[in-house]
Amino acid sequence: MGKTCAVAALVATLLCVTCAAGGANEVIPPEMSETSFLVDCDFDSAIPFCHYTNSKTDDADWYTTSGRLNDDEIGPVADHTTGNYTGTYLYTKTSYSESFESRLEGVTAVAPADGGCVRFWYHMYGSSIGSLKVHTERSGDLGPARWSQSGYTKVSQWYEASISIEPASEFKLVFVSQSGTGFQGNIAIDDIIYVDGPCGERPDPFFLVDCDFDSAIPFCHYTNSETDEADWYTTSGKLNVDEIGPVADHTTGNYSGTYLYTKTSYSESFESRLEGVTAVAPAEGGCVRFWCHMYGSSIGSLKVHTEKSGDLGPARWSQSGYTKVSQWYEASISIEPASEFKLVFVSESGTGFRGNIAIDDISLAGGPCPVKPPEMPDPSFLVDCDFEGAIPYCHYTNSKTDDAEWYTTSGKLNDDEIGPVADHTTGNYSGTYLYTKTSYSESFESRLEGVTAVAPAEGGCVRFWYHMYGSSIGSLKVHTEASGDLGPARWSQLGYTKVSQWYEASISIEPASEFKLVFVSESGTGFRGNIAIDDISLAGGPCPVKPPEMPDPSFLVDCDFDISAIPLCHYTNSKTDEADWYTISGGLNDDEIGPIADHTTGNYTGTYLYTKTSYSESLESRLEGVTAVAPDDGGCVRFWYHMYGSSIGSLKVHTEASGDLGPARWSQSGYTKVSQWYEASISIDPGEDFKLVFVSQSRVGSVGNIAIDDIGLVSGKC
């Protein structure tokens, strides 16, 4: 019985095929309408193309095949009808050298009075997919495409599509495939059917937006713009050998994942645009999320736009400059309900090789993004800097309007005891700090500029560490620039510190005020004057109130002339006299006239000051100190002098006040009884401003050198 039925079915099929081939007296199966009979095709019957034929006016044909189309994951693995190797479907071929148009034409059919819906299944997956369009030709007029798909689908699988047919209208289906250039772009169709009643569908916006850059189609629906200056590129794993770029993609967190990045250049800034395709947001609105990585000293900016009808519009999200940590950060943009939008990512690179920008994991979710309060830039992030790591200058830059720059260095700055031996942060050779250079011929101004920050609501305290030690130290001033106005210095240090070490300083910042830190170094003339800074930080609340610090008068007065780094201490030779004071060690003369050693050590290692003599004239030599304030109980200045020789002149000591030298407070004329060091002293009134001035007047002759050593100040009267 089963065999008889099978034979009968075969005979009926052959009769139908014969009629269809003849075209005049076609037999339509009773379960099918005339329209379905002309339209439907699963490409599996004895007449594989059914009522469809390849056009004779195109470039290439559609072909039948079964099972897997490619060895990779690009094409179908089976037809849609059976899902296995026995079923058949149609596909178009591809080429590396050119794009082909392949037309598949149906026959004219008539829709019923209530209209109809043509459904079909298509497979479009591969990096070089072109487009598929479906037309309903009428009276020889192809007309516009009723349905189209450009580019590949989300997954390598069969997708359903449909077209509504107008009531009682004549139509002829035409499938037009335009191949891309490349071998990963076969387009396939299967299971064309007709059903009564209209149909309709919108493209899936999630499919059009979402991309993790990890699939066989790495850019998904995104493409590099053809109107910008540079491209976005795919990469995996670590982007740089240092700590600048990502170490892995965001999706997988390891070397197997892929993300996009932009390249950099030392010579110019590039704009790189990544463009999506137009999508329609869900009825409840949408939230686009993505992850970005922006870390490096030469980071530029990243902006995201939602283009509409060709208008890029203002940026919906932007980030300028580098992030706080070298990691992936999430960002989001709300999309208006049911609105059309096209995502455009615009990267503007900085100049330098430490500025790659990367993105990953773009996605769309239904509903608006959660409302977050506006984020103010973290002021500590903008201010803090220890000058270590991948971004050594942090948010600070050398000014373009000054004379010289600040430089980074590690370890010991000089071979002598002048500069730091290590940075302040680590205290060893591995740490980094900033310093300014010096010159014998001129004084340089070096400005280090921060960026504008807003102090916390409770105010702030900026702390930093500085190192200023050396005989030719100039000055360091710190300003808090506001609205382009540098304003007066908020802190300053003139001249060298008491010890060669790091010192802490601080500045209070007014609550919620805008400020930009500017460090201004003015170098002295000479190679013993490098100024260094390290560990700038901002903390909430004002700095602790400290009583004004009066300079230590002993520090300003005391000098044994034995510190090689600062041999004259706070004393300098006058520029208005006739001769100078000089440093020397050991014996001054071959005879018994001058000192045989300094007073401090009593041997050849110690240093003292002396004046030279002349046969032809008498010379005045002035040694000037700096202004100091005597202790509240008064002070006693003690010093040692050596005056022995037949042509000794005189030595006078003054205490200058407000530019008035005044009378000598102590003097010695002519030589002493013995060739040795003698002590002398001067009482200073309580709280008195004074500046020591030693005035030597030589006589004509060569045996009259005057020497001094061990100047010191102690509290109380002499």
Side-chain angles (χ1 to χ4, degrees):
M1 180 68 178
K3 183 181 286 188
T4 305
C5 291
V7 169
L10 178 59
V11 170
T13 301
L14 289 174
L15 283 172
C16 181
V17 169
T18 303
C19 295
N25 299 302
E26 294 178 296
V27 178
I28 301 173
E31 71 276 9
M32 296 181 70
S33 68
E34 180 181 353
T35 307
S36 296
F37 174 61
L38 297 176
V39 172
D40 293 6
C41 191
D42 62 9
F43 307 104
D44 290 327
S45 69
I47 307 175
F49 275 76
C50 307
H51 288 93
Y52 296 90
T53 56
N54 279 300
S55 171
K56 298 184 185 302
T57 61
D58 55 5
D59 309 313
D61 286 344
W62 290 79
Y63 300 88
T64 57
T65 193
S66 300
R68 185 183 286 270
L69 182 58
N70 307 97
D71 294 331
D72 51 24
E73 300 174 358
I74 300 300
V77 295
D79 81 325
H80 176 262
T81 317
T82 66
N84 59 47
Y85 67 91
T86 64
T88 306
Y89 56 93
L90 295 194
Y91 76 99
T92 59
K93 294 184 178 179
T94 58
S95 168
Y96 263 121
S97 60
E98 55 183 316
S99 173
F100 295 129
E101 182 183 277
S102 304
R103 288 196 181 193
L104 184 73
E105 299 181 345
V107 294
T108 298
V110 179
D114 57 350
C117 178
V118 173
R119 302 188 197 278
F120 62 95
W121 293 79
Y122 66 96
H123 195 291
M124 295 173 68
Y125 192 75
S127 58
S128 52
I129 283 287
S131 65
L132 176 63
K133 298 179 181 179
V134 183
H135 301 257
T136 50
E137 182 181 307
R138 294 175 185 177
S139 304
D141 178 19
L142 188 63
R146 300 293 305 281
W147 176 93
S148 68
Q149 165 73 24
S150 294
Y152 66 93
T153 55
K154 192 169 187 178
V155 185
S156 180
Q157 67 180 35
W158 289 100
Y159 285 84
E160 186 183 25
S162 58
I163 303 170
S164 289
I165 306 297
E166 290 75 11
S169 63
E170 282 192 352
F171 68 97
K172 172 179 150 181
L173 291 176
V174 181
F175 292 79
V176 181
S177 162
Q178 188 74 40
S179 68
T181 52
F183 288 145
Q184 297 197 316
N186 302 108
I187 294 174
I189 59 173
D190 199 7
D191 291 335
I192 307 170
I193 61 170
Y194 173 85
V195 294
D196 291 338
C199 53
E201 185 176 294
R202 274 184 169 178
D204 175 10
F206 307 101
F207 166 55
L208 298 177
V209 171
D210 294 3
C211 193
D212 61 10
F213 307 104
D214 290 326
S215 68
I217 306 167
F219 275 77
C220 307
H221 287 94
Y222 297 89
T223 55
N224 279 301
S225 172
E226 297 185 358
T227 61
D228 56 4
E229 299 151 343
D231 285 343
W232 290 79
Y233 301 86
T234 57
T235 193
S236 300
K238 195 169 187 177
L239 183 58
N240 307 97
V241 291
D242 52 22
E243 300 172 0
I244 300 299
V247 295
D249 81 322
H250 175 261
T251 317
T252 66
N254 60 48
Y255 66 89
S256 66
T258 305
Y259 55 94
L260 295 194
Y261 76 100
T262 59
K263 294 185 177 178
T264 59
S265 168
Y266 263 122
S267 59
E268 56 183 317
S269 174
F270 295 129
E271 182 183 275
S272 303
R273 287 197 182 193
L274 185 73
E275 299 182 346
V277 294
T278 299
V280 178
E284 70 275 21
C287 179
V288 172
R289 291 185 174 90
F290 60 95
W291 293 78
C292 61
H293 195 290
M294 297 173 67
Y295 191 74
S297 56
S298 52
I299 283 287
S301 65
L302 176 63
K303 297 179 181 179
V304 184
H305 302 256
T306 50
E307 182 180 307
K308 295 178 182 180
S309 304
D311 178 19
L312 188 63
R316 300 290 305 278
W317 177 93
S318 66
Q319 164 74 26
S320 295
Y322 67 92
T323 54
K324 193 168 186 178
V325 184
S326 180
Q327 67 180 35
W328 290 100
Y329 285 83
E330 186 182 27
S332 60
I333 302 169
S334 287
I335 307 296
E336 291 74 18
S339 64
E340 283 194 351
F341 69 99
K342 173 177 149 182
L343 291 176
V344 182
F345 293 77
V346 182
S347 161
E348 186 76 36
S349 69
T351 52
F353 288 144
R354 292 176 175 266
N356 302 108
I357 294 174
I359 59 173
D360 200 6
D361 291 334
I362 307 169
S363 65
L364 172 67
C369 303
V371 176
K372 297 179 182 178
E375 288 189 12
M376 294 295 290
D378 176 5
S380 298
F381 169 53
L382 300 177
V383 171
D384 293 4
C385 194
D386 60 10
F387 306 104
E388 318 286 346
I391 308 175
Y393 279 79
C394 307
H395 287 95
Y396 296 89
T397 55
N398 279 299
S399 172
K400 298 184 186 299
T401 61
D402 54 5
D403 311 313
E405 294 189 346
W406 290 80
Y407 302 86
T408 57
T409 193
S410 300
K412 196 170 187 177
L413 183 58
N414 307 98
D415 294 331
D416 51 23
E417 300 173 359
I418 301 297
V421 295
D423 80 322
H424 175 262
T425 317
T426 67
N428 59 48
Y429 66 89
S430 66
T432 306
Y433 56 94
L434 295 193
Y435 76 100
T436 60
K437 293 185 178 178
T438 58
S439 168
Y440 263 124
S441 60
E442 56 183 317
S443 174
F444 295 129
E445 182 184 274
S446 303
R447 287 197 182 192
L448 184 74
E449 299 182 346
V451 294
T452 298
V454 178
E458 69 276 21
C461 179
V462 173
R463 291 184 173 90
F464 61 96
W465 293 78
Y466 66 95
H467 194 290
M468 296 173 67
Y469 192 73
S471 57
S472 53
I473 283 286
S475 66
L476 175 64
K477 297 178 182 179
V478 184
H479 302 257
T480 50
E481 181 180 309
S483 303
D485 178 20
L486 188 63
R490 300 291 303 278
W491 176 93
S492 65
Q493 165 72 24
L494 178 64
Y496 67 92
T497 54
K498 193 168 185 178
V499 184
S500 179
Q501 67 180 35
W502 289 100
Y503 286 83
E504 186 182 27
S506 60
I507 303 169
S508 287
I509 308 295
E510 291 72 19
S513 64
E514 285 193 350
F515 69 99
K516 172 177 147 182
L517 290 176
V518 181
F519 292 77
V520 182
S521 161
E522 186 76 38
S523 68
T525 52
F527 287 143
R528 293 173 176 269
N530 302 108
I531 295 174
I533 59 174
D534 200 6
D535 291 335
I536 308 170
S537 65
L538 172 68
C543 302
V545 177
K546 297 179 181 178
E549 289 188 10
M550 296 297 291
D552 177 4
S554 298
F555 169 54
L556 300 177
V557 170
D558 295 2
C559 193
D560 61 9
F561 307 105
D562 288 329
I563 302 174
S564 61
I566 311 174
L568 295 191
C569 306
H570 286 95
Y571 295 89
T572 55
N573 280 297
S574 171
K575 298 184 185 298
T576 61
D577 56 4
E578 300 152 343
D580 285 342
W581 290 80
Y582 300 88
T583 56
I584 193 169
S585 300
L588 181 58
N589 307 100
D590 293 333
D591 50 26
E592 300 176 358
I593 301 299
I596 56 174
D598 81 324
H599 174 263
T600 317
T601 66
N603 58 49
Y604 66 91
T605 63
T607 306
Y608 55 95
L609 294 193
Y610 77 100
T611 60
K612 293 184 179 179
T613 59
S614 168
Y615 268 120
S616 61
E617 56 182 323
S618 172
L619 302 173
E620 181 184 275
S621 304
R622 286 196 183 193
L623 185 73
E624 299 180 346
V626 293
T627 299
V629 179
D632 291 340
D633 55 351
C636 179
V637 174
R638 290 188 172 92
F639 61 95
W640 293 79
Y641 65 95
H642 194 291
M643 296 173 66
Y644 192 75
S646 59
S647 53
I648 283 287
S650 66
L651 175 64
K652 297 178 182 179
V653 183
H654 301 257
T655 51
E656 181 181 309
S658 303
D660 178 18
L661 188 62
R665 300 289 301 276
W666 176 93
S667 66
Q668 167 73 26
S669 295
Y671 63 92
T672 55
K673 191 171 185 179
V674 183
S675 178
Q676 67 179 35
W677 288 100
Y678 287 83
E679 186 182 26
S681 61
I682 303 170
S683 287
I684 309 295
D685 293 334
E688 176 188 353
D689 281 4
F690 69 99
K691 173 176 144 182
L692 291 177
V693 181
F694 292 77
V695 182
S696 162
Q697 188 74 43
S698 69
R699 289 176 62 188
V700 177
S702 60
V703 286
N705 302 107
I706 295 175
I708 60 173
D709 200 6
D710 292 335
I711 308 170
L713 172 69
V714 294
S715 295
K717 297 240 177 190
C718 300

